[in-house]
Amino acid sequence: MAIPIPADSPFSLANIPFGIFSTKSQAHPRPGVAIGEHILDLKVLALEGIFTDCEVTFPSDVLTHTTLNAFAALGRPTTSAVRAYIQSLLSQSSSPLHLNHSLLNRCTVKQIEATMHLPFDIGDFTDFTSSKTHAKNTHSGHGHGNVDADMFHPPRAASGRVSTILPSGTPIVRPVGHLPTSASPASLEDLSPDTPVESRTLARTTGFSLAPTNELDFELELAFFISVPTEHFERVPVEKTEDHIFGVVLLNDWSARDIQVPETLPFGAFNAKNFASTISPWVVTLDALEPFKIAHDIRRVPSYLVDKGDATYDISVTMEVIPGRLVEREVAVARSCLRNSYWTFRQMLAFHTLAGCRMRTGDLIGTGTLSGEDTTSLCSLVEQRKHYPNRMFLQDKDEVVFTAWCGSPQGGIGFGECRGVVLPARL
Amino acid sequence: MAIPIPADSPFSLANIPFGIFSTKSQAHPRPGVAIGEHILDLKVLALEGIFTDCEVTFPSDVLTHTTLNAFAALGRPTTSAVRAYIQSLLSQSSSPLHLNHSLLNRCTVKQIEATMHLPFDIGDFTDFTSSKTHAKNTHSGHGHGNVDADMFHPPRAASGRVSTILPSGTPIVRPVGHLPTSASPASLEDLSPDTPVESRTLARTTGFSLAPTNELDFELELAFFISVPTEHFERVPVEKTEDHIFGVVLLNDWSARDIQVPETLPFGAFNAKNFASTISPWVVTLDALEPFKIAHDIRRVPSYLVDKGDATYDISVTMEVIPGRLVEREVAVARSCLRNSYWTFRQMLAFHTLAGCRMRTGDLIGTGTLSGEDTTSLCSLVEQRKHYPNRMFLQDKDEVVFTAWCGSPQGGIGFGECRGVVLPARL
């Protein structure tokens, strides 16, 4: 192996996830693949003409761009061949990476020395609701007595905010929102000594004030990126959807529950979610996930969404909160999996194009919170607190860490981490 | 005047709206301003160095781009000065447009010979609900007995789909959706003779099938574009919002009501709206609207959204359906105004940044349907049909035309048109 790979690395030769990184010495973001504890700089390889020996001919300048959009838009036959060629560069003793030490040095960066960026220029972001448990736990008050019938026929999804999608590691400032004065210990009066008396009075009169959320939460999700765009008013059938999916990342759909409650009906969360969503920086391709395909449980689905065979993936996800303050408390943990999603990636994409909605390269589609029935698999604090009331909503300096994995730690592939630390509100 | 302006033109010297256009002979999209029945090609003027005489120094290459983003991002002091300079070029007899006939010929294009494009690269699209009447008419079944208290505290808004925002004139293909079989005359069986029997059975069993909407509707709105971006986690107070607003367009938020009903709760419309939204191509600047500022009615608002003085604009909007088929029927018309919005543009933007949501240049924010209390001012068919049951939902070949105007036809300014014709569903 041209680059050493620790046995328990999420980024084994079987993985080869794509991302966009920069370094102190070269601040320009550029494409790379993660391998062990290193990054292989694809821009260096492209500029050296190394990809001319790849079995498919493609414009290798796409690997010098600041996003993966142009590369992913080439389509799966090409991107799969490029990934396979990178695997051969790393593993074959006759490859330039083995024979040319200068090249190897120039195209190898330690992950710890790199800054990761968003992998794609994201045009639109959509988030589905896919977990029956999450739906039961969070939407039972909205007239959904029968979650199965009501929440999944038709599937439910919403557009989300793109401007605040962040790469893992970006701190999250506790959001401020429109909160009922009585429910909020930090009322307007407490917050800002120089608020005009007139405004304070109005806040009391209306019963609402501007206050930092007391119920900051996470939602543990997976999400996939679109590769080849679709035409406007083109419906993509379930069996053709994989032609349009590049790969998968972890997604933290940060949520402020007390801001969410009054604004939820009839349009769903707005300021309660639009302040931040964090994704893991390495995009695990469908090719890497292929060995982990499994049958999707038979579920009641409309005819246009029937998805047979090995339609989903055996992806495990975990979350933990690393407490920022050394007070004794019960910290939140969970372990779940993609199987808890009612819908497969393929069904989500097919449904999304049903009315003719156009998909562009780099569009991001989230699964929704992946909570399972078991109380150890609840993927948000608002759900965990129903069973573990001592688990507090996120405190300042708390860090939330998600991971995901397919197969065993030895021989499997990982997604790396999706992290974010909470900073105090700005008042 | 260097270019003749008909007395009733929406594009008088007082207007000077910005847009992006192309022509057959020069297919590259470029910035222009509408003046009378013509377009002044700003790229030609920029390349000729004409803007070096503008009172502000700015990088005039922004006027050679394919979108208005870089120009708008310069900020209002600069864009206002450029607009004033364009007015002087058109009106002053000593200007190059008057003295140099060759230049005038090269920079003048007839609107009828131009193709209009989206004016901005749009990063995010948000749509508010601002009309009490619309809220009462459409959300009364969602537990909102007291619309004032429930729908406007806090304000309600949702992220929308960017990939299907279209310039005026783009045809709309009737969307297909997940419809209850009983409610839909065009069931799966009727649609596709080669659908497998198994799928037909499933469709019957679940009680849903894939069918073209029978309730295609429009929503008459205004919308504004962001100029100077905001920082992530920066709250913009109401009084600073105008520094971030470039201008205003008409918006048709096309909606399929039968697709919308089952998917609305708890996240709002998804496939019912994500197939298309149409905007008028000429962006009317805040400078052009300044003479039409009026006081916003005093309303019950939270302290952080108090907006005093002349906080809104006297903008009239109209809609009409031009029937595509010559069957005798009652056609839909309406006339309303921005005053029917509970929120001002400034309040919408301030609320949008409350939790720290970042705004990027080119973001688009819609007012929501502008229905007024009078039955002649209902801005969607689903509302009009409550009072005029003979008005049908949109039929194939129907064309929907919106206009907007400030002041009188003589001496006022107009927005031009926002049009879209309905094409049959693709099955």
Side-chain angles (χ1 to χ4, degrees), chain B residues 131-147:
Chain B
S131 152
K132 275 194 191 185
T133 305
H134 182 71
K136 276 182 200 159
N137 283 338
T138 59
H139 301 298
S140 54
H142 302 167
H144 294 287
N146 183 344
V147 163

Side-chain angles (χ1 to χ4, degrees), chain A residues 406-417:
Chain A
C406 296
S408 66
Q410 277 75 32
I413 61 169
F415 286 68
E417 290 181 335

